[in-house]
mmCIF file of all heavy atoms in Angstrom:
data_model
loop_
_atom_site.group_PDB
_atom_site.id
_atom_site.type_symbol
_atom_site.label_atom_id
_atom_site.label_comp_id
_atom_site.label_asym_id
_atom_site.label_seq_id
_atom_site.Cartn_x
_atom_site.Cartn_y
_atom_site.Cartn_z
ATOM 1 N N TYR A 1 75.741 104.957 77.426
ATOM 2 C CA TYR A 1 74.334 104.789 77.773
ATOM 3 C C TYR A 1 74.103 103.489 78.545
ATOM 4 O O TYR A 1 73.375 103.468 79.537
ATOM 5 C CB TYR A 1 73.453 104.811 76.521
ATOM 6 C CG TYR A 1 71.993 104.635 76.860
ATOM 7 C CD1 TYR A 1 71.246 105.713 77.316
ATOM 8 C CD2 TYR A 1 71.375 103.405 76.755
ATOM 9 C CE1 TYR A 1 69.919 105.561 77.653
ATOM 10 C CE2 TYR A 1 70.054 103.241 77.097
ATOM 11 C CZ TYR A 1 69.323 104.324 77.538
ATOM 12 O OH TYR A 1 68.018 104.154 77.887
ATOM 13 N N PHE A 2 74.724 102.402 78.106
ATOM 14 C CA PHE A 2 74.541 101.132 78.808
ATOM 15 C C PHE A 2 75.119 101.186 80.216
ATOM 16 O O PHE A 2 74.537 100.634 81.150
ATOM 17 C CB PHE A 2 75.149 99.978 78.010
ATOM 18 C CG PHE A 2 74.252 99.458 76.940
ATOM 19 C CD1 PHE A 2 74.617 99.555 75.622
ATOM 20 C CD2 PHE A 2 73.026 98.883 77.251
ATOM 21 C CE1 PHE A 2 73.787 99.089 74.622
ATOM 22 C CE2 PHE A 2 72.188 98.409 76.265
ATOM 23 C CZ PHE A 2 72.566 98.508 74.947
ATOM 24 N N PHE A 3 76.258 101.842 80.404
ATOM 25 C CA PHE A 3 76.791 102.007 81.754
ATOM 26 C C PHE A 3 75.836 102.816 82.619
ATOM 27 O O PHE A 3 75.566 102.461 83.769
ATOM 28 C CB PHE A 3 78.166 102.681 81.732
ATOM 29 C CG PHE A 3 79.302 101.738 81.505
ATOM 30 C CD1 PHE A 3 80.190 101.954 80.475
ATOM 31 C CD2 PHE A 3 79.486 100.641 82.329
ATOM 32 C CE1 PHE A 3 81.243 101.091 80.266
ATOM 33 C CE2 PHE A 3 80.528 99.768 82.125
ATOM 34 C CZ PHE A 3 81.411 99.994 81.085
ATOM 35 N N TYR A 4 75.311 103.895 82.087
ATOM 36 C CA TYR A 4 74.366 104.734 82.824
ATOM 37 C C TYR A 4 73.126 103.947 83.201
ATOM 38 O O TYR A 4 72.672 103.988 84.349
ATOM 39 C CB TYR A 4 73.991 105.954 81.971
ATOM 40 C CG TYR A 4 72.868 106.772 82.542
ATOM 41 C CD1 TYR A 4 73.082 107.589 83.647
ATOM 42 C CD2 TYR A 4 71.596 106.723 81.991
ATOM 43 C CE1 TYR A 4 72.059 108.334 84.182
ATOM 44 C CE2 TYR A 4 70.557 107.467 82.519
ATOM 45 C CZ TYR A 4 70.794 108.278 83.618
ATOM 46 O OH TYR A 4 69.781 109.008 84.149
ATOM 47 N N LYS A 5 72.578 103.200 82.272
ATOM 48 C CA LYS A 5 71.364 102.411 82.525
ATOM 49 C C LYS A 5 71.611 101.365 83.613
ATOM 50 O O LYS A 5 70.813 101.222 84.548
ATOM 51 C CB LYS A 5 70.940 101.733 81.229
ATOM 52 C CG LYS A 5 69.768 100.786 81.387
ATOM 53 C CD LYS A 5 69.499 100.052 80.105
ATOM 54 C CE LYS A 5 70.545 99.011 79.868
ATOM 55 N NZ LYS A 5 70.094 97.650 79.916
ATOM 56 N N ASN A 6 72.722 100.673 83.529
ATOM 57 C CA ASN A 6 73.002 99.620 84.504
ATOM 58 C C ASN A 6 73.355 100.190 85.872
ATOM 59 O O ASN A 6 73.007 99.602 86.894
ATOM 60 C CB ASN A 6 74.114 98.711 83.994
ATOM 61 C CG ASN A 6 73.635 97.846 82.854
ATOM 62 O OD1 ASN A 6 72.482 97.423 82.828
ATOM 63 N ND2 ASN A 6 74.499 97.598 81.899
ATOM 64 N N VAL A 7 74.034 101.327 85.919
ATOM 65 C CA VAL A 7 74.345 101.958 87.205
ATOM 66 C C VAL A 7 73.049 102.385 87.897
ATOM 67 O O VAL A 7 72.879 102.189 89.106
ATOM 68 C CB VAL A 7 75.318 103.140 87.026
ATOM 69 C CG1 VAL A 7 75.345 104.043 88.231
ATOM 70 C CG2 VAL A 7 76.709 102.618 86.722
ATOM 71 N N CYS A 8 72.143 102.968 87.143
ATOM 72 C CA CYS A 8 70.858 103.372 87.722
ATOM 73 C C CYS A 8 70.100 102.167 88.261
ATOM 74 O O CYS A 8 69.553 102.200 89.371
ATOM 75 C CB CYS A 8 70.003 104.095 86.688
ATOM 76 S SG CYS A 8 70.621 105.708 86.250
ATOM 77 N N TYR A 9 70.069 101.104 87.510
ATOM 78 C CA TYR A 9 69.320 99.918 87.909
ATOM 79 C C TYR A 9 69.955 99.234 89.119
ATOM 80 O O TYR A 9 69.269 98.846 90.066
ATOM 81 C CB TYR A 9 69.232 98.960 86.722
ATOM 82 C CG TYR A 9 68.321 97.798 86.971
ATOM 83 C CD1 TYR A 9 66.946 97.985 87.066
ATOM 84 C CD2 TYR A 9 68.827 96.525 87.122
ATOM 85 C CE1 TYR A 9 66.101 96.927 87.298
ATOM 86 C CE2 TYR A 9 67.997 95.465 87.359
ATOM 87 C CZ TYR A 9 66.631 95.670 87.446
ATOM 88 O OH TYR A 9 65.801 94.610 87.688
ATOM 89 N N VAL A 10 71.265 99.102 89.124
ATOM 90 C CA VAL A 10 71.950 98.438 90.241
ATOM 91 C C VAL A 10 71.876 99.294 91.501
ATOM 92 O O VAL A 10 71.715 98.755 92.611
ATOM 93 C CB VAL A 10 73.406 98.103 89.850
ATOM 94 C CG1 VAL A 10 74.218 97.682 91.050
ATOM 95 C CG2 VAL A 10 73.423 97.022 88.798
ATOM 96 N N ASN A 11 71.972 100.612 91.381
ATOM 97 C CA ASN A 11 71.835 101.480 92.558
ATOM 98 C C ASN A 11 70.461 101.341 93.188
ATOM 99 O O ASN A 11 70.335 101.364 94.412
ATOM 100 C CB ASN A 11 72.085 102.944 92.181
ATOM 101 C CG ASN A 11 73.544 103.277 92.237
ATOM 102 O OD1 ASN A 11 74.314 102.661 92.967
ATOM 103 N ND2 ASN A 11 73.944 104.261 91.456
ATOM 104 N N LEU A 12 69.441 101.203 92.370
ATOM 105 C CA LEU A 12 68.095 100.990 92.894
ATOM 106 C C LEU A 12 68.029 99.723 93.734
ATOM 107 O O LEU A 12 67.517 99.738 94.860
ATOM 108 C CB LEU A 12 67.091 100.918 91.730
ATOM 109 C CG LEU A 12 65.650 100.626 92.098
ATOM 110 C CD1 LEU A 12 65.043 101.829 92.800
ATOM 111 C CD2 LEU A 12 64.861 100.272 90.864
ATOM 112 N N LEU A 13 68.575 98.636 93.227
ATOM 113 C CA LEU A 13 68.561 97.369 93.970
ATOM 114 C C LEU A 13 69.484 97.426 95.190
ATOM 115 O O LEU A 13 69.170 96.852 96.238
ATOM 116 C CB LEU A 13 68.974 96.222 93.055
ATOM 117 C CG LEU A 13 68.031 95.927 91.896
ATOM 118 C CD1 LEU A 13 68.599 94.805 91.032
ATOM 119 C CD2 LEU A 13 66.659 95.563 92.389
ATOM 120 N N PHE A 14 70.617 98.110 95.074
ATOM 121 C CA PHE A 14 71.553 98.206 96.189
ATOM 122 C C PHE A 14 70.933 98.940 97.382
ATOM 123 O O PHE A 14 71.006 98.479 98.515
ATOM 124 C CB PHE A 14 72.830 98.914 95.724
ATOM 125 C CG PHE A 14 73.815 99.155 96.822
ATOM 126 C CD1 PHE A 14 74.564 98.118 97.338
ATOM 127 C CD2 PHE A 14 73.994 100.429 97.342
ATOM 128 C CE1 PHE A 14 75.476 98.345 98.349
ATOM 129 C CE2 PHE A 14 74.898 100.664 98.356
ATOM 130 C CZ PHE A 14 75.647 99.618 98.856
ATOM 131 N N TRP A 15 70.337 100.098 97.125
ATOM 132 C CA TRP A 15 69.757 100.862 98.230
ATOM 133 C C TRP A 15 68.513 100.189 98.794
ATOM 134 O O TRP A 15 68.191 100.364 99.971
ATOM 135 C CB TRP A 15 69.444 102.295 97.790
ATOM 136 C CG TRP A 15 70.697 103.070 97.551
ATOM 137 C CD1 TRP A 15 71.184 103.500 96.374
ATOM 138 C CD2 TRP A 15 71.656 103.467 98.545
ATOM 139 N NE1 TRP A 15 72.386 104.147 96.543
ATOM 140 C CE2 TRP A 15 72.697 104.141 97.889
ATOM 141 C CE3 TRP A 15 71.741 103.310 99.935
ATOM 142 C CZ2 TRP A 15 73.791 104.663 98.541
ATOM 143 C CZ3 TRP A 15 72.844 103.834 100.588
ATOM 144 C CH2 TRP A 15 73.850 104.496 99.893
ATOM 145 N N TYR A 16 67.834 99.394 98.010
ATOM 146 C CA TYR A 16 66.676 98.642 98.521
ATOM 147 C C TYR A 16 67.118 97.599 99.545
ATOM 148 O O TYR A 16 66.387 97.304 100.491
ATOM 149 C CB TYR A 16 65.924 97.976 97.371
ATOM 150 C CG TYR A 16 64.776 97.129 97.840
ATOM 151 C CD1 TYR A 16 63.624 97.714 98.345
ATOM 152 C CD2 TYR A 16 64.841 95.737 97.787
ATOM 153 C CE1 TYR A 16 62.564 96.946 98.792
ATOM 154 C CE2 TYR A 16 63.792 94.966 98.224
ATOM 155 C CZ TYR A 16 62.657 95.571 98.719
ATOM 156 O OH TYR A 16 61.614 94.812 99.161
ATOM 157 N N GLN A 17 68.329 97.064 99.394
ATOM 158 C CA GLN A 17 68.806 96.048 100.332
ATOM 159 C C GLN A 17 68.992 96.616 101.745
ATOM 160 O O GLN A 17 68.891 95.876 102.725
ATOM 161 C CB GLN A 17 70.110 95.427 99.824
ATOM 162 C CG GLN A 17 69.943 94.596 98.582
ATOM 163 C CD GLN A 17 68.935 93.485 98.749
ATOM 164 O OE1 GLN A 17 68.942 92.755 99.750
ATOM 165 N NE2 GLN A 17 68.041 93.353 97.782
ATOM 166 N N PHE A 18 69.230 97.915 101.879
ATOM 167 C CA PHE A 18 69.311 98.511 103.211
ATOM 168 C C PHE A 18 67.947 98.478 103.896
ATOM 169 O O PHE A 18 67.857 98.308 105.118
ATOM 170 C CB PHE A 18 69.798 99.966 103.122
ATOM 171 C CG PHE A 18 71.285 100.075 102.914
ATOM 172 C CD1 PHE A 18 71.786 100.476 101.693
ATOM 173 C CD2 PHE A 18 72.177 99.778 103.935
ATOM 174 C CE1 PHE A 18 73.148 100.582 101.484
ATOM 175 C CE2 PHE A 18 73.537 99.887 103.734
ATOM 176 C CZ PHE A 18 74.030 100.287 102.508
ATOM 177 N N PHE A 19 66.894 98.645 103.139
ATOM 178 C CA PHE A 19 65.549 98.672 103.718
ATOM 179 C C PHE A 19 65.013 97.287 104.034
ATOM 180 O O PHE A 19 64.161 97.142 104.908
ATOM 181 C CB PHE A 19 64.578 99.405 102.779
ATOM 182 C CG PHE A 19 64.873 100.857 102.644
ATOM 183 C CD1 PHE A 19 65.421 101.359 101.485
ATOM 184 C CD2 PHE A 19 64.639 101.732 103.700
ATOM 185 C CE1 PHE A 19 65.720 102.705 101.364
ATOM 186 C CE2 PHE A 19 64.939 103.082 103.589
ATOM 187 C CZ PHE A 19 65.473 103.568 102.418
ATOM 188 N N CYS A 20 65.501 96.262 103.344
ATOM 189 C CA CYS A 20 65.009 94.907 103.626
ATOM 190 C C CYS A 20 66.009 94.098 104.442
ATOM 191 O O CYS A 20 65.853 92.887 104.589
ATOM 192 C CB CYS A 20 64.635 94.191 102.336
ATOM 193 S SG CYS A 20 66.012 93.796 101.292
ATOM 194 N N GLY A 21 67.021 94.743 104.991
ATOM 195 C CA GLY A 21 67.971 94.082 105.881
ATOM 196 C C GLY A 21 68.891 93.094 105.181
ATOM 197 O O GLY A 21 69.290 92.107 105.790
ATOM 198 N N PHE A 22 69.235 93.342 103.946
ATOM 199 C CA PHE A 22 70.126 92.475 103.161
ATOM 200 C C PHE A 22 69.661 91.026 103.144
ATOM 201 O O PHE A 22 70.442 90.094 103.247
ATOM 202 C CB PHE A 22 71.568 92.561 103.676
ATOM 203 C CG PHE A 22 72.186 93.909 103.469
ATOM 204 C CD1 PHE A 22 72.206 94.847 104.500
ATOM 205 C CD2 PHE A 22 72.721 94.249 102.250
ATOM 206 C CE1 PHE A 22 72.764 96.088 104.301
ATOM 207 C CE2 PHE A 22 73.289 95.496 102.053
ATOM 208 C CZ PHE A 22 73.307 96.421 103.068
ATOM 209 N N SER A 23 68.346 90.855 103.034
ATOM 210 C CA SER A 23 67.785 89.502 103.006
ATOM 211 C C SER A 23 67.894 88.858 101.637
ATOM 212 O O SER A 23 67.680 87.658 101.502
ATOM 213 C CB SER A 23 66.315 89.539 103.431
ATOM 214 O OG SER A 23 65.555 90.252 102.486
ATOM 215 N N GLY A 24 68.187 89.634 100.627
ATOM 216 C CA GLY A 24 68.289 89.083 99.270
ATOM 217 C C GLY A 24 66.973 89.090 98.529
ATOM 218 O O GLY A 24 66.896 88.587 97.410
ATOM 219 N N SER A 25 65.946 89.640 99.137
ATOM 220 C CA SER A 25 64.660 89.705 98.438
ATOM 221 C C SER A 25 64.739 90.759 97.338
ATOM 222 O O SER A 25 65.461 91.738 97.446
ATOM 223 C CB SER A 25 63.534 90.046 99.414
ATOM 224 O OG SER A 25 63.736 91.322 99.960
ATOM 225 N N THR A 26 63.993 90.523 96.292
ATOM 226 C CA THR A 26 64.024 91.439 95.168
ATOM 227 C C THR A 26 62.865 92.410 95.247
ATOM 228 O O THR A 26 61.759 92.063 95.670
ATOM 229 C CB THR A 26 63.951 90.677 93.835
ATOM 230 O OG1 THR A 26 62.755 89.927 93.797
ATOM 231 C CG2 THR A 26 65.148 89.769 93.663
ATOM 232 N N MET A 27 63.134 93.602 94.831
ATOM 233 C CA MET A 27 62.117 94.637 94.848
ATOM 234 C C MET A 27 61.218 94.529 93.617
ATOM 235 O O MET A 27 60.058 94.893 93.650
ATOM 236 C CB MET A 27 62.814 96.007 94.856
ATOM 237 C CG MET A 27 61.893 97.168 94.959
ATOM 238 S SD MET A 27 62.816 98.683 95.157
ATOM 239 C CE MET A 27 62.917 99.201 93.489
ATOM 240 N N ILE A 28 61.763 93.985 92.548
ATOM 241 C CA ILE A 28 61.056 93.914 91.282
ATOM 242 C C ILE A 28 60.981 92.458 90.853
ATOM 243 O O ILE A 28 61.949 91.701 90.996
ATOM 244 C CB ILE A 28 61.806 94.747 90.223
ATOM 245 C CG1 ILE A 28 61.943 96.199 90.684
ATOM 246 C CG2 ILE A 28 61.115 94.698 88.882
ATOM 247 C CD1 ILE A 28 62.863 97.021 89.841
ATOM 248 N N ASP A 29 59.823 92.056 90.320
ATOM 249 C CA ASP A 29 59.684 90.691 89.810
ATOM 250 C C ASP A 29 60.594 90.487 88.605
ATOM 251 O O ASP A 29 60.976 91.426 87.913
ATOM 252 C CB ASP A 29 58.239 90.431 89.390
ATOM 253 C CG ASP A 29 57.301 90.382 90.597
ATOM 254 O OD1 ASP A 29 57.785 90.018 91.684
ATOM 255 O OD2 ASP A 29 56.115 90.716 90.425
ATOM 256 N N TYR A 30 60.893 89.209 88.352
ATOM 257 C CA TYR A 30 61.807 88.912 87.254
ATOM 258 C C TYR A 30 61.224 89.288 85.900
ATOM 259 O O TYR A 30 61.929 89.744 85.026
ATOM 260 C CB TYR A 30 62.188 87.425 87.264
ATOM 261 C CG TYR A 30 63.154 87.101 88.365
ATOM 262 C CD1 TYR A 30 62.778 86.332 89.446
ATOM 263 C CD2 TYR A 30 64.465 87.572 88.320
ATOM 264 C CE1 TYR A 30 63.663 86.046 90.460
ATOM 265 C CE2 TYR A 30 65.357 87.297 89.332
ATOM 266 C CZ TYR A 30 64.952 86.530 90.395
ATOM 267 O OH TYR A 30 65.829 86.258 91.398
ATOM 268 N N TRP A 31 59.941 89.115 85.721
ATOM 269 C CA TRP A 31 59.347 89.469 84.426
ATOM 270 C C TRP A 31 59.388 90.981 84.206
ATOM 271 O O TRP A 31 59.509 91.444 83.082
ATOM 272 C CB TRP A 31 57.932 88.905 84.291
ATOM 273 C CG TRP A 31 56.939 89.479 85.259
ATOM 274 C CD1 TRP A 31 56.652 89.029 86.506
ATOM 275 C CD2 TRP A 31 56.122 90.627 85.045
ATOM 276 N NE1 TRP A 31 55.705 89.822 87.088
ATOM 277 C CE2 TRP A 31 55.347 90.803 86.212
ATOM 278 C CE3 TRP A 31 55.952 91.514 83.986
ATOM 279 C CZ2 TRP A 31 54.453 91.844 86.351
ATOM 280 C CZ3 TRP A 31 55.043 92.542 84.130
ATOM 281 C CH2 TRP A 31 54.303 92.695 85.302
ATOM 282 N N GLN A 32 59.320 91.756 85.299
ATOM 283 C CA GLN A 32 59.440 93.204 85.151
ATOM 284 C C GLN A 32 60.877 93.606 84.805
ATOM 285 O O GLN A 32 61.101 94.547 84.041
ATOM 286 C CB GLN A 32 58.997 93.908 86.430
ATOM 287 C CG GLN A 32 57.507 93.849 86.646
ATOM 288 C CD GLN A 32 57.097 94.452 87.986
ATOM 289 O OE1 GLN A 32 57.897 94.457 88.921
ATOM 290 N NE2 GLN A 32 55.871 94.934 88.047
ATOM 291 N N MET A 33 61.859 92.892 85.368
ATOM 292 C CA MET A 33 63.253 93.168 85.004
ATOM 293 C C MET A 33 63.504 92.866 83.531
ATOM 294 O O MET A 33 64.197 93.618 82.843
ATOM 295 C CB MET A 33 64.204 92.324 85.869
ATOM 296 C CG MET A 33 64.372 92.833 87.278
ATOM 297 S SD MET A 33 65.744 92.062 88.146
ATOM 298 C CE MET A 33 65.161 90.403 88.348
ATOM 299 N N ILE A 34 62.939 91.782 83.057
ATOM 300 C CA ILE A 34 63.120 91.419 81.645
ATOM 301 C C ILE A 34 62.486 92.470 80.751
ATOM 302 O O ILE A 34 63.096 92.924 79.778
ATOM 303 C CB ILE A 34 62.533 90.016 81.378
ATOM 304 C CG1 ILE A 34 63.386 88.961 82.078
ATOM 305 C CG2 ILE A 34 62.468 89.746 79.878
ATOM 306 C CD1 ILE A 34 62.777 87.585 82.072
ATOM 307 N N PHE A 35 61.257 92.889 81.078
ATOM 308 C CA PHE A 35 60.598 93.905 80.260
ATOM 309 C C PHE A 35 61.298 95.250 80.359
ATOM 310 O O PHE A 35 61.340 96.001 79.387
ATOM 311 C CB PHE A 35 59.125 94.041 80.647
ATOM 312 C CG PHE A 35 58.266 92.950 80.093
ATOM 313 C CD1 PHE A 35 57.496 92.166 80.922
ATOM 314 C CD2 PHE A 35 58.236 92.708 78.728
ATOM 315 C CE1 PHE A 35 56.713 91.161 80.413
ATOM 316 C CE2 PHE A 35 57.447 91.707 78.216
ATOM 317 C CZ PHE A 35 56.678 90.915 79.047
ATOM 318 N N PHE A 36 61.853 95.569 81.530
ATOM 319 C CA PHE A 36 62.594 96.826 81.680
ATOM 320 C C PHE A 36 63.766 96.867 80.713
ATOM 321 O O PHE A 36 63.976 97.844 79.996
ATOM 322 C CB PHE A 36 63.072 96.971 83.125
ATOM 323 C CG PHE A 36 63.949 98.171 83.361
ATOM 324 C CD1 PHE A 36 63.407 99.442 83.439
ATOM 325 C CD2 PHE A 36 65.319 98.027 83.505
ATOM 326 C CE1 PHE A 36 64.211 100.549 83.656
ATOM 327 C CE2 PHE A 36 66.126 99.121 83.727
ATOM 328 C CZ PHE A 36 65.564 100.382 83.798
ATOM 329 N N ASN A 37 64.561 95.788 80.689
ATOM 330 C CA ASN A 37 65.719 95.749 79.807
ATOM 331 C C ASN A 37 65.328 95.564 78.345
ATOM 332 O O ASN A 37 65.990 96.076 77.456
ATOM 333 C CB ASN A 37 66.677 94.628 80.214
ATOM 334 C CG ASN A 37 67.573 95.031 81.350
ATOM 335 O OD1 ASN A 37 68.005 96.166 81.414
ATOM 336 N ND2 ASN A 37 67.837 94.116 82.248
ATOM 337 N N LEU A 38 64.258 94.830 78.106
ATOM 338 C CA LEU A 38 63.909 94.497 76.735
ATOM 339 C C LEU A 38 63.197 95.639 76.019
ATOM 340 O O LEU A 38 63.527 95.972 74.889
ATOM 341 C CB LEU A 38 63.026 93.248 76.732
ATOM 342 C CG LEU A 38 62.897 92.504 75.421
ATOM 343 C CD1 LEU A 38 64.238 91.952 75.005
ATOM 344 C CD2 LEU A 38 61.892 91.386 75.576
ATOM 345 N N PHE A 39 62.254 96.268 76.670
ATOM 346 C CA PHE A 39 61.427 97.252 75.979
ATOM 347 C C PHE A 39 61.754 98.695 76.343
ATOM 348 O O PHE A 39 61.883 99.546 75.470
ATOM 349 C CB PHE A 39 59.944 96.996 76.262
ATOM 350 C CG PHE A 39 59.456 95.700 75.708
ATOM 351 C CD1 PHE A 39 59.010 94.700 76.550
ATOM 352 C CD2 PHE A 39 59.451 95.468 74.344
ATOM 353 C CE1 PHE A 39 58.567 93.502 76.033
ATOM 354 C CE2 PHE A 39 59.003 94.274 73.821
ATOM 355 C CZ PHE A 39 58.559 93.283 74.677
ATOM 356 N N PHE A 40 61.900 98.986 77.618
ATOM 357 C CA PHE A 40 61.996 100.377 78.037
ATOM 358 C C PHE A 40 63.377 100.985 77.846
ATOM 359 O O PHE A 40 63.502 102.179 77.626
ATOM 360 C CB PHE A 40 61.558 100.519 79.495
ATOM 361 C CG PHE A 40 60.153 100.065 79.726
ATOM 362 C CD1 PHE A 40 59.871 99.084 80.642
ATOM 363 C CD2 PHE A 40 59.105 100.623 79.006
ATOM 364 C CE1 PHE A 40 58.578 98.672 80.844
ATOM 365 C CE2 PHE A 40 57.813 100.214 79.199
ATOM 366 C CZ PHE A 40 57.542 99.232 80.123
ATOM 367 N N THR A 41 64.419 100.188 77.953
ATOM 368 C CA THR A 41 65.764 100.769 77.844
ATOM 369 C C THR A 41 66.535 100.290 76.631
ATOM 370 O O THR A 41 67.706 100.615 76.494
ATOM 371 C CB THR A 41 66.584 100.458 79.107
ATOM 372 O OG1 THR A 41 66.704 99.048 79.233
ATOM 373 C CG2 THR A 41 65.933 101.053 80.336
ATOM 374 N N SER A 42 65.936 99.515 75.762
ATOM 375 C CA SER A 42 66.671 99.066 74.578
ATOM 376 C C SER A 42 66.417 99.950 73.365
ATOM 377 O O SER A 42 67.208 99.949 72.427
ATOM 378 C CB SER A 42 66.308 97.618 74.247
ATOM 379 O OG SER A 42 64.938 97.523 73.932
ATOM 380 N N VAL A 43 65.350 100.715 73.365
ATOM 381 C CA VAL A 43 65.029 101.550 72.206
ATOM 382 C C VAL A 43 66.018 102.711 72.028
ATOM 383 O O VAL A 43 66.501 102.930 70.914
ATOM 384 C CB VAL A 43 63.570 102.046 72.288
ATOM 385 C CG1 VAL A 43 63.265 103.030 71.189
ATOM 386 C CG2 VAL A 43 62.619 100.868 72.228
ATOM 387 N N PRO A 44 66.354 103.486 73.071
ATOM 388 C CA PRO A 44 67.299 104.604 72.852
ATOM 389 C C PRO A 44 68.659 104.187 72.298
ATOM 390 O O PRO A 44 69.135 104.806 71.345
ATOM 391 C CB PRO A 44 67.419 105.249 74.233
ATOM 392 C CG PRO A 44 66.158 104.907 74.920
ATOM 393 C CD PRO A 44 65.785 103.549 74.420
#
């Protein structure tokens, strides 16, 4: 499950870099990343 969760999350960020020209900008704020890992994907 943890591999699946992290692959999904990293693929999202990887494909976003094609759209922003590999500038290193993040698609999601840091507080949203923390809440994603802390609340939404830690319960299962």
Side-chain angles (χ1 to χ4, degrees):
Y1 180 80
F2 277 116
F3 276 125
Y4 171 74
K5 175 186 74 114
N6 289 325
V7 163
C8 290
Y9 188 69
V10 168
N11 274 334
L12 177 71
L13 295 177
F14 176 74
W15 291 110
Y16 177 72
Q17 292 303 314
F18 282 108
F19 293 107
C20 68
F22 294 97
S23 66
S25 63
T26 59
M27 184 173 94
I28 302 170
D29 291 332
Y30 286 111
W31 65 271
Q32 288 175 333
M33 284 193 291
I34 291 170
F35 282 124
F36 175 76
N37 278 323
L38 198 64
F39 295 116
F40 301 123
T41 61
S42 63
V43 174

